[in-house]
Amino acid sequence: MSVSEKDILIIGAGILGLSSAWYLAERGARVTVLDREPIKDAASCGNAGLISLGHPPLTRPGVSVQGLKWMFDKRSPLYIKPRLDGDLARWLWTFHRHCNQTHYEGTMEVLCELGRLSADCFEQILSETEIDCDWQRQGWDDVCMHESSLDHAEEEAKILKRFGFDSERVTGDELRADAPAYTDDVVGAIRFEDSATLSPQAFTAGLARELQARGVTIRTDCTVEALLKRHDRVEGVRLEGGEELTADATVLAAGVWSDKLARAIGLRIPMQPARGYHRDVVGLETMPPRGCVLNETFIAVSPFHDTLRLAGTLELSGFDAPWLGDRLAHLTKAGGTYIHGVDRATVTQEWAGYRPCTADGMPVVGAVPRMPGLFVGTGHAMMGMTLGPASGKLIAEAIYDETPALESPLLAAARY
Ligand SMILES: Cc1cc2nc3c(=O)[nH]c(=O)nc-3n(C[C@H](O)[C@H](O)[C@H](O)COP(=O)(O)OP(=O)(O)OC[C@H]3O[C@@H](n4cnc5c(N)ncnc54)[C@H](O)[C@@H]3O)c2cc1C
């Protein structure tokens, strides 16, 4: 068998699974992607679409303490449903231990490099395909209501400068001259010039179509029940209904559900499902010209053609808890204080989905030690749309034993 003839199974048709498929197909692999759902409801379709290079991890110094305070504020971006849950308690404790400066500095170095690689991956994929996803490489604005927030955002932006990502401070008037959409309450913004926005649904579905045109098989309505492990080797998967599929390599890219499949064969990838919501609105007189984050609320906003998407909230309630209507409503209510008319605009879509969050804030990418045949791509939390293509490339490089474009113990499955 020549190296290019590998048979690969990928569990999950989100951005991680599809990006891995792209780079594997590029190497001549025979790839089958399996997903239990059509490509439209996963986090990879419902996210805010900010391709935010140099986005910091959740594990920032002070965040765990701030999070405790937020728990008692109904409008805060974080909600933790109080419950007796050993996994959650362990996750929170590990998370707290990683919210320190040393870990932060180490993670930023890796995430910035991964972000840069991902930007190249997006440019490559878009130049080689016909995907129409409203890709706009014109940065995003961290939009502030208070001078103190603006000063703080500027300090944070200086950290990114060290890693080669430029930003500039713009006043409220400069912002409004460029974008009359912003209200007079906005005092200014930090503009991150290297980043981009896209319609995540259009990119993900478009990538799936392009892969199929290149011979990749995508099976939806196809639930993987278990990974097949014989002795130490992972040889494929068993589907619901009993069908078994074997492969030279299996990629576990099932988002936050990867943990459950991994546990059954003795691999731990502890994650919490961090639910977020989006609301799409239409009918605004003026739109922000580029993506933005409404600084004091952590709401991410992206313009896609005539639609404005507002996305936010990080809710640790486990799976399938009822939607929190007040948090969903808060997206447009708070949005209207920054952007004219958002609170009165017509809502065309509401959605909730899960970010796969590891307790150390870092993705898990690459080969699994002592389990030949198994590769993982998950745990990208709030950065998966941004970093997914680069992680997919690293997974393909690992499967083909190539020198990786980026290697770090902070990404390795071996850390668990
Ligand atoms: C509100 C919100 C806003 C966000 N905004 C941004 C943003 O602006 N920028 C950014 O970079 N990131 C953002 N993110 C994060 C990003 O969406 C995720 O990190 C990313 O989509 C995760 O991709 P994934 O492929 O790992 O998982 P998913 O997209 O969840 O895909 C996993 C797939 O696996 C399938 N699956 C699971 N179990 C099985 C099984 N047993 N058998 C078969 N299939 C299975 C699922 O059906 C799913 O399709 C946001 C997330 C949310 C919730």
Side-chain angles (χ1 to χ4, degrees), residues 11-17 34-37 42-44 47-50 222-224 253-255 257 261 276-277 311-312 351 353-356 377-378 380-386:
I11 311 168
I15 186 68
L16 265 297
L34 309 165
D35 203 298
R36 62 186 177 196
E37 286 173 5
S44 299
N47 67 71
L50 287 183
C222 180
T223 301
V224 173
W257 300 275
L261 288 168
Y277 301 94
W351 169 92
Y354 297 105
R355 306 171 184 89
T378 188
H380 290 67
M382 54 228 272
M383 307 165 288
M385 199 65 207
T386 303

Side-chain angles (χ1 to χ4, degrees), residues 230-251:
R230 297 211 172 90
H231 307 295
D232 279 343
R233 189 171 180 83
V234 172
E235 295 186 341
V237 301
R238 187 176 61 250
L239 304 180
E240 219 172 57
E243 185 185 353
E244 293 193 353
L245 304 173
T246 56
D248 299 305
T250 302
V251 179

Side-chain angles (χ1 to χ4, degrees), residues 337-354:
T337 61
Y338 292 78
I339 300 167
H340 289 297
V342 164
D343 45 342
R344 299 184 306 278
T346 307
V347 176
T348 54
Q349 183 169 278
E350 293 180 335
W351 169 92
Y354 297 105

